[in-house]
Amino acid sequence: MAGILVFFIPFLAAFLAYSIPSNRYRPYVMPAAAFGHLMAAITLMQSPARLSAEERWLELDPAGQTILISISVLFFCCALYAPAYLYHRLERPNRIFCSCMLLLLSLMSLVPFIQHVGLIWVVMEATTLCSGPLIFFNRTSRSIEAAWKYLMICSVGIALALLGSFFLAYSTFQIENSNQLLFPKLAQSASLLSKPWLRAAFVTLLVGYGTKMGIAPLHVWKPDAYGETSGIVGALLAGGLTSCAFLVLLRIIRIMYAAGEAVWTNHILIVMGLLSMTFAAVFMSRQKDYKRILAYSSVEHMGILLLGVGIGSLGLWGSLFHVWNNALGKAVLFLSSGNIHRAFGSKSTDSVRGALHRIPVSASLFLLGFIAITGSPPFGPFVSEFAILQAAFFAKQYKTGALYLALMLAVFLGMGTTVLSVIFGEASKPVKDNQYKDSTLTVGPIILLLLLMLIAGVCLPSSLGAILTNAVAFMEVAR
């Protein structure tokens, strides 16, 4: 029942939001739906997820459980922020915005349940179409360009994912009576799959869904989309939608492990992970747009996710834990940067300085978000990133570990230069008639997100720890 609710609550709420005529009261549908969704998701977390012996297209496995709870918590905090944000944007109609936000949650909640190769492709494509109008919300020429670029590039990526799905289906030609494209069934019969076609499928699917994740060099849509959209949409794209694409890759990686291709697969994941971190470190240097720098931070963290999986064992645990930390950390940064943008009316460090004097709470949260997301203690990302580093040295992959450390340091310096110039110094003159100030509703949800990251770093809740352990065992059993 709870599994049905996590999909239908936001789905029905989207139609309710669309039917409400008031631009002012419509946004309150989001926190109400998000609360119901969170309660249903927590109910699902009470019992360990496992795959049944029956052939089901929809079933929540342990890896999906990890993604679902992170999406639910992320959306709940963003939904608490949404009414206050949209109150400051009453000049723009928000009917499409609210409806698409809830539809996006509905689709993202469906992904962790899907066990069919074709159906998951359809839903991932639907998330692309649903999130396009959200990027367009500001209705500037640059936001239109960003929305089209996002739609075009992600559609090309998803087309490649379809080609990869065909390759995966063709790899089963040696199996008699095999007409099922269910991930569990493919993992069970992986040793019988055609290895050349399976490898071709993995590479194509990695490119396809990697485009959706925004790993380098397939990330070209991210700087524009994240830079031109609102903070709340950026948080959902960077912390929610990318996690869904990562989950699809995890299921494909599980098939590769079951087919005895773990070493070959992990080499590719490590290379792609380090490549993404390198791109992020290079493009963060001297970046003046503090919202675009969050896009490159997302590229870096997608690289960390792949790297952790590629290293395996403790690295896999760190990677799955990092999904949670990345979701919360990106939300802190995007929402607080959105407040700064509202106060100054600019995204450039040439015009935005001394935010600590203008909106002290939002500026402090932006600074703390930077400290957290770059892997500084005592926040959760420190634990997950350190676990991946430990795994690299335990596996005697010293060069990988050293390069990982060096790239994180480069990212810290590049991102820190931009963030510190926004926070400190003499305050820039605000835009005329701009009376924007911090309020409980615009900073409260961000404080909640930061507290959750702090709790995860200081004392990992046993329930979350059990979910992660279960997910690691689910992935490892296929090796």
Side-chain angles (χ1 to χ4, degrees):
M1 183 63 181
I4 296 172
L5 290 177
V6 293
F7 171 72
F8 277 105
I9 287 176
F11 185 77
L12 296 176
F15 288 96
L16 175 63
Y18 192 84
S19 66
I20 293 176
S22 170
N23 213 30
R24 184 167 183 176
Y25 296 112
R26 187 181 301 114
Y28 289 96
V29 175
M30 281 195 278
F35 179 75
H37 184 276
L38 181 61
M39 291 300 104
I42 290 174
T43 303
L44 283 170
M45 300 302 126
Q46 301 302 314
S47 56
R50 57 175 64 87
L51 287 171
S52 66
E54 299 175 22
E55 296 177 355
R56 295 178 178 172
W57 284 33
L58 298 175
E59 192 164 24
L60 186 64
D61 60 27
Q65 204 175 30
T66 308
I67 303 300
L68 179 63
I69 190 62
S70 68
I71 290 172
S72 189
V73 172
L74 168 67
F75 191 90
F76 176 71
C77 294
C78 289
L80 293 179
Y81 176 87
Y85 165 72
L86 292 172
Y87 175 77
H88 291 282
R89 309 297 306 275
L90 282 177
E91 78 281 4
R92 297 194 186 285
N94 58 41
R95 187 188 298 271
I96 300 297
F97 182 87
C98 294
S99 301
C100 283
M101 285 279 288
L102 289 161
L103 278 178
L104 182 60
L105 173 63
S106 179
L107 292 168
M108 288 194 299
S109 303
L110 187 56
V111 170
F113 288 87
I114 299 175
Q115 298 295 337
H116 192 276
V117 175
L119 182 58
I120 209 165
W121 179 88
V122 172
V123 175
M124 289 300 292
E125 172 63 5
T127 60
T128 304
L129 299 175
C130 193
S131 45
L134 296 174
I135 297 172
F136 174 59
F137 178 65
N138 287 327
R139 303 199 176 184
T140 62
S141 58
R142 296 185 69 173
S143 67
I144 294 171
E145 180 185 347
W148 275 111
K149 186 180 284 188
Y150 169 76
L151 289 171
M152 294 296 291
I153 295 174
C154 285
S155 294
V156 170
I158 211 75
L160 288 171
L162 179 62
L163 183 63
S165 301
F166 290 150
F167 288 162
L168 187 58
Y170 194 71
S171 70
T172 66
F173 72 90
Q174 295 180 116
I175 306 173
E176 291 184 3
N177 301 322
S178 176
N179 55 2
Q180 293 282 355
L181 283 177
L182 298 173
F183 288 111
K185 292 296 176 187
L186 288 169
Q188 285 175 13
S189 56
S191 60
L192 302 175
L193 300 177
S194 166
K195 295 295 173 62
W197 284 107
L198 185 59
R199 285 190 173 194
F202 172 72
V203 172
T204 316
L205 289 166
L206 178 61
V207 173
Y209 290 114
T211 304
K212 191 84 174 177
M213 273 182 75
I215 58 175
L218 313 165
H219 66 284
V220 289
W221 59 270
K222 267 189 173 178
D224 288 327
Y226 289 5
E228 298 305 324
T229 191
S230 60
I232 190 170
V233 175
L236 285 180
L237 292 179
L241 203 48
T242 54
S243 299
C244 290
F246 178 61
L247 175 62
V248 184
L249 287 180
L250 281 180
R251 291 192 172 143
I252 297 158
I253 290 166
R254 188 168 181 266
I255 296 170
M256 296 298 292
Y257 287 171
E261 296 287 328
V263 175
W264 183 82
T265 304
N266 287 341
H267 281 161
I268 292 179
L269 293 176
I270 289 171
V271 169
M272 293 304 291
L274 291 174
L275 182 66
S276 294
M277 294 183 70
T278 304
F279 266 73
V282 170
F283 282 97
M284 276 186 184
S285 175
R286 297 180 180 275
Q287 179 60 250
K288 289 187 175 183
D289 187 325
Y290 62 86
K291 289 191 73 176
R292 288 175 75 94
I293 209 164
L294 302 185
Y296 293 115
S297 173
S298 178
V299 175
E300 179 215 358
H301 288 275
M302 293 304 103
I304 290 174
L305 292 182
L306 293 186
L307 182 67
V309 176
I311 293 171
S313 189
L314 182 59
L316 177 59
W317 181 91
S319 184
L320 290 167
F321 185 31
H322 202 66
V323 170
W324 169 268
N325 293 320
N326 176 61
L328 302 185
K330 284 297 181 298
V332 170
L333 287 168
F334 272 103
L335 297 185
S336 56
S337 68
N339 291 347
I340 294 171
H341 188 207
R342 293 260 66 76
F344 288 88
S346 173
K347 300 178 297 172
S348 172
T349 54
D350 290 335
S351 307
V352 182
R353 289 183 182 275
L356 201 58
H357 301 291
R358 177 84 171 82
I359 42 172
V361 181
S362 292
S364 300
L365 291 170
F366 190 54
L367 180 62
L368 289 171
F370 155 70
I371 291 170
I373 206 67
T374 49
S376 305
F379 297 99
F382 169 74
V383 179
S384 54
E385 292 179 5
F386 188 68
I388 294 171
L389 180 66
Q390 273 187 305
F393 285 110
F394 286 163
K396 298 182 179 179
Q397 298 188 35
Y398 300 116
K399 290 181 180 176
T400 300
L403 194 53
Y404 172 60
L405 264 181
L407 289 170
M408 283 204 300
L409 178 61
V411 166
F412 182 86
L413 294 175
M415 191 173 178
T417 303
T418 303
V419 171
L420 294 181
S421 66
V422 168
I423 301 297
F424 297 110
E426 187 177 348
S428 308
K429 290 182 180 179
V431 177
K432 189 178 180 181
D433 298 330
N434 188 338
Q435 300 300 320
Y436 182 86
K437 293 181 180 178
D438 285 328
S439 68
T440 304
L441 292 177
T442 55
V443 299
I446 309 173
I447 293 172
L448 176 60
L449 286 159
L450 201 63
L451 281 175
L452 289 173
M453 263 204 301
L454 183 62
I455 291 169
V458 174
C459 181
L460 182 65
S462 57
S463 54
L464 181 58
I467 291 170
L468 294 172
T469 303
N470 206 16
V472 171
F474 172 74
M475 291 294 297
E476 292 282 355
V477 77
R479 285 179 185 261

PDB file of all heavy atoms in Angstrom, residues 283-297:
ATOM      1  N   PHE A 283      37.090  23.385 -14.486  1.00  0.00           N
ATOM      2  CA  PHE A 283      36.104  24.417 -14.823  1.00  0.00           C
ATOM      3  C   PHE A 283      35.685  25.245 -13.615  1.00  0.00           C
ATOM      4  O   PHE A 283      35.080  26.308 -13.773  1.00  0.00           O
ATOM      5  CB  PHE A 283      34.877  23.769 -15.482  1.00  0.00           C
ATOM      6  CG  PHE A 283      35.115  23.412 -16.913  1.00  0.00           C
ATOM      7  CD1 PHE A 283      35.483  22.124 -17.266  1.00  0.00           C
ATOM      8  CD2 PHE A 283      35.007  24.370 -17.915  1.00  0.00           C
ATOM      9  CE1 PHE A 283      35.720  21.785 -18.587  1.00  0.00           C
ATOM     10  CE2 PHE A 283      35.243  24.052 -19.238  1.00  0.00           C
ATOM     11  CZ  PHE A 283      35.606  22.753 -19.582  1.00  0.00           C
ATOM     12  N   MET A 284      35.960  24.767 -12.408  1.00  0.00           N
ATOM     13  CA  MET A 284      35.647  25.577 -11.225  1.00  0.00           C
ATOM     14  C   MET A 284      36.644  26.721 -11.048  1.00  0.00           C
ATOM     15  O   MET A 284      36.325  27.735 -10.425  1.00  0.00           O
ATOM     16  CB  MET A 284      35.682  24.705  -9.967  1.00  0.00           C
ATOM     17  CG  MET A 284      34.393  23.966  -9.698  1.00  0.00           C
ATOM     18  SD  MET A 284      34.507  23.119  -8.119  1.00  0.00           S
ATOM     19  CE  MET A 284      32.951  22.260  -8.116  1.00  0.00           C
ATOM     20  N   SER A 285      37.819  26.530 -11.582  1.00  0.00           N
ATOM     21  CA  SER A 285      38.859  27.545 -11.422  1.00  0.00           C
ATOM     22  C   SER A 285      38.437  28.853 -12.086  1.00  0.00           C
ATOM     23  O   SER A 285      38.039  28.877 -13.246  1.00  0.00           O
ATOM     24  CB  SER A 285      40.156  27.028 -12.059  1.00  0.00           C
ATOM     25  OG  SER A 285      41.139  28.014 -12.029  1.00  0.00           O
ATOM     26  N   ARG A 286      38.459  29.915 -11.349  1.00  0.00           N
ATOM     27  CA  ARG A 286      38.149  31.269 -11.824  1.00  0.00           C
ATOM     28  C   ARG A 286      36.704  31.393 -12.327  1.00  0.00           C
ATOM     29  O   ARG A 286      36.406  32.223 -13.173  1.00  0.00           O
ATOM     30  CB  ARG A 286      39.133  31.701 -12.935  1.00  0.00           C
ATOM     31  CG  ARG A 286      40.567  31.790 -12.464  1.00  0.00           C
ATOM     32  CD  ARG A 286      41.486  32.214 -13.590  1.00  0.00           C
ATOM     33  NE  ARG A 286      42.865  32.305 -13.139  1.00  0.00           N
ATOM     34  CZ  ARG A 286      43.382  33.361 -12.554  1.00  0.00           C
ATOM     35  NH1 ARG A 286      42.632  34.432 -12.345  1.00  0.00           N
ATOM     36  NH2 ARG A 286      44.628  33.370 -12.165  1.00  0.00           N
ATOM     37  N   GLN A 287      35.833  30.582 -11.828  1.00  0.00           N
ATOM     38  CA  GLN A 287      34.419  30.668 -12.214  1.00  0.00           C
ATOM     39  C   GLN A 287      33.753  31.804 -11.436  1.00  0.00           C
ATOM     40  O   GLN A 287      33.787  31.841 -10.213  1.00  0.00           O
ATOM     41  CB  GLN A 287      33.724  29.339 -11.895  1.00  0.00           C
ATOM     42  CG  GLN A 287      32.254  29.296 -12.219  1.00  0.00           C
ATOM     43  CD  GLN A 287      31.946  29.540 -13.685  1.00  0.00           C
ATOM     44  OE1 GLN A 287      31.393  30.578 -14.037  1.00  0.00           O
ATOM     45  NE2 GLN A 287      32.328  28.602 -14.531  1.00  0.00           N
ATOM     46  N   LYS A 288      33.112  32.720 -12.151  1.00  0.00           N
ATOM     47  CA  LYS A 288      32.512  33.885 -11.492  1.00  0.00           C
ATOM     48  C   LYS A 288      31.021  33.713 -11.205  1.00  0.00           C
ATOM     49  O   LYS A 288      30.461  34.472 -10.428  1.00  0.00           O
ATOM     50  CB  LYS A 288      32.719  35.140 -12.367  1.00  0.00           C
ATOM     51  CG  LYS A 288      34.162  35.613 -12.395  1.00  0.00           C
ATOM     52  CD  LYS A 288      34.269  36.947 -13.120  1.00  0.00           C
ATOM     53  CE  LYS A 288      35.690  37.487 -13.039  1.00  0.00           C
ATOM     54  NZ  LYS A 288      35.812  38.818 -13.684  1.00  0.00           N
ATOM     55  N   ASP A 289      30.395  32.768 -11.865  1.00  0.00           N
ATOM     56  CA  ASP A 289      28.968  32.543 -11.654  1.00  0.00           C
ATOM     57  C   ASP A 289      28.806  31.523 -10.532  1.00  0.00           C
ATOM     58  O   ASP A 289      29.115  30.337 -10.702  1.00  0.00           O
ATOM     59  CB  ASP A 289      28.338  32.024 -12.951  1.00  0.00           C
ATOM     60  CG  ASP A 289      26.821  31.934 -12.869  1.00  0.00           C
ATOM     61  OD1 ASP A 289      26.307  31.619 -11.782  1.00  0.00           O
ATOM     62  OD2 ASP A 289      26.157  32.175 -13.892  1.00  0.00           O
ATOM     63  N   TYR A 290      28.310  31.969  -9.371  1.00  0.00           N
ATOM     64  CA  TYR A 290      28.266  31.067  -8.222  1.00  0.00           C
ATOM     65  C   TYR A 290      27.168  30.009  -8.340  1.00  0.00           C
ATOM     66  O   TYR A 290      27.158  29.046  -7.568  1.00  0.00           O
ATOM     67  CB  TYR A 290      28.129  31.848  -6.905  1.00  0.00           C
ATOM     68  CG  TYR A 290      26.874  32.680  -6.757  1.00  0.00           C
ATOM     69  CD1 TYR A 290      25.703  32.143  -6.272  1.00  0.00           C
ATOM     70  CD2 TYR A 290      26.880  34.034  -7.097  1.00  0.00           C
ATOM     71  CE1 TYR A 290      24.560  32.908  -6.131  1.00  0.00           C
ATOM     72  CE2 TYR A 290      25.741  34.816  -6.963  1.00  0.00           C
ATOM     73  CZ  TYR A 290      24.584  34.244  -6.478  1.00  0.00           C
ATOM     74  OH  TYR A 290      23.447  34.998  -6.342  1.00  0.00           O
ATOM     75  N   LYS A 291      26.252  30.148  -9.284  1.00  0.00           N
ATOM     76  CA  LYS A 291      25.281  29.074  -9.496  1.00  0.00           C
ATOM     77  C   LYS A 291      25.823  28.038 -10.474  1.00  0.00           C
ATOM     78  O   LYS A 291      25.574  26.843 -10.327  1.00  0.00           O
ATOM     79  CB  LYS A 291      23.949  29.650 -10.005  1.00  0.00           C
ATOM     80  CG  LYS A 291      23.196  30.442  -8.924  1.00  0.00           C
ATOM     81  CD  LYS A 291      21.792  30.773  -9.328  1.00  0.00           C
ATOM     82  CE  LYS A 291      20.885  29.567  -9.295  1.00  0.00           C
ATOM     83  NZ  LYS A 291      19.480  29.920  -9.598  1.00  0.00           N
ATOM     84  N   ARG A 292      26.566  28.503 -11.464  1.00  0.00           N
ATOM     85  CA  ARG A 292      27.182  27.542 -12.394  1.00  0.00           C
ATOM     86  C   ARG A 292      28.224  26.684 -11.680  1.00  0.00           C
ATOM     87  O   ARG A 292      28.441  25.527 -12.041  1.00  0.00           O
ATOM     88  CB  ARG A 292      27.841  28.282 -13.566  1.00  0.00           C
ATOM     89  CG  ARG A 292      26.851  28.876 -14.537  1.00  0.00           C
ATOM     90  CD  ARG A 292      27.560  29.700 -15.598  1.00  0.00           C
ATOM     91  NE  ARG A 292      28.225  28.874 -16.579  1.00  0.00           N
ATOM     92  CZ  ARG A 292      27.685  28.502 -17.737  1.00  0.00           C
ATOM     93  NH1 ARG A 292      26.474  28.890 -18.039  1.00  0.00           N
ATOM     94  NH2 ARG A 292      28.342  27.761 -18.575  1.00  0.00           N
ATOM     95  N   ILE A 293      28.839  27.253 -10.651  1.00  0.00           N
ATOM     96  CA  ILE A 293      29.863  26.454  -9.957  1.00  0.00           C
ATOM     97  C   ILE A 293      29.214  25.276  -9.226  1.00  0.00           C
ATOM     98  O   ILE A 293      29.844  24.235  -9.018  1.00  0.00           O
ATOM     99  CB  ILE A 293      30.676  27.344  -8.984  1.00  0.00           C
ATOM    100  CG1 ILE A 293      32.083  26.770  -8.851  1.00  0.00           C
ATOM    101  CG2 ILE A 293      30.041  27.458  -7.599  1.00  0.00           C
ATOM    102  CD1 ILE A 293      33.078  27.706  -8.252  1.00  0.00           C
ATOM    103  N   LEU A 294      27.934  25.425  -8.865  1.00  0.00           N
ATOM    104  CA  LEU A 294      27.225  24.305  -8.253  1.00  0.00           C
ATOM    105  C   LEU A 294      27.013  23.184  -9.273  1.00  0.00           C
ATOM    106  O   LEU A 294      26.946  22.006  -8.914  1.00  0.00           O
ATOM    107  CB  LEU A 294      25.879  24.773  -7.685  1.00  0.00           C
ATOM    108  CG  LEU A 294      25.939  25.891  -6.641  1.00  0.00           C
ATOM    109  CD1 LEU A 294      24.558  26.175  -6.084  1.00  0.00           C
ATOM    110  CD2 LEU A 294      26.897  25.528  -5.510  1.00  0.00           C
ATOM    111  N   ALA A 295      26.898  23.561 -10.544  1.00  0.00           N
ATOM    112  CA  ALA A 295      26.769  22.553 -11.596  1.00  0.00           C
ATOM    113  C   ALA A 295      28.056  21.730 -11.692  1.00  0.00           C
ATOM    114  O   ALA A 295      28.016  20.490 -11.808  1.00  0.00           O
ATOM    115  CB  ALA A 295      26.470  23.219 -12.936  1.00  0.00           C
ATOM    116  N   TYR A 296      29.189  22.411 -11.650  1.00  0.00           N
ATOM    117  CA  TYR A 296      30.457  21.674 -11.719  1.00  0.00           C
ATOM    118  C   TYR A 296      30.676  20.853 -10.450  1.00  0.00           C
ATOM    119  O   TYR A 296      31.304  19.790 -10.484  1.00  0.00           O
ATOM    120  CB  TYR A 296      31.612  22.644 -11.961  1.00  0.00           C
ATOM    121  CG  TYR A 296      31.529  23.273 -13.324  1.00  0.00           C
ATOM    122  CD1 TYR A 296      31.323  24.647 -13.482  1.00  0.00           C
ATOM    123  CD2 TYR A 296      31.624  22.494 -14.470  1.00  0.00           C
ATOM    124  CE1 TYR A 296      31.213  25.220 -14.735  1.00  0.00           C
ATOM    125  CE2 TYR A 296      31.528  23.055 -15.734  1.00  0.00           C
ATOM    126  CZ  TYR A 296      31.320  24.419 -15.855  1.00  0.00           C
ATOM    127  OH  TYR A 296      31.211  24.973 -17.111  1.00  0.00           O
ATOM    128  N   SER A 297      30.166  21.342  -9.316  1.00  0.00           N
ATOM    129  CA  SER A 297      30.230  20.546  -8.085  1.00  0.00           C
ATOM    130  C   SER A 297      29.423  19.261  -8.258  1.00  0.00           C
ATOM    131  O   SER A 297      29.824  18.190  -7.793  1.00  0.00           O
ATOM    132  CB  SER A 297      29.671  21.370  -6.912  1.00  0.00           C
ATOM    133  OG  SER A 297      29.586  20.576  -5.758  1.00  0.00           O
TER     134      SER A 297
END
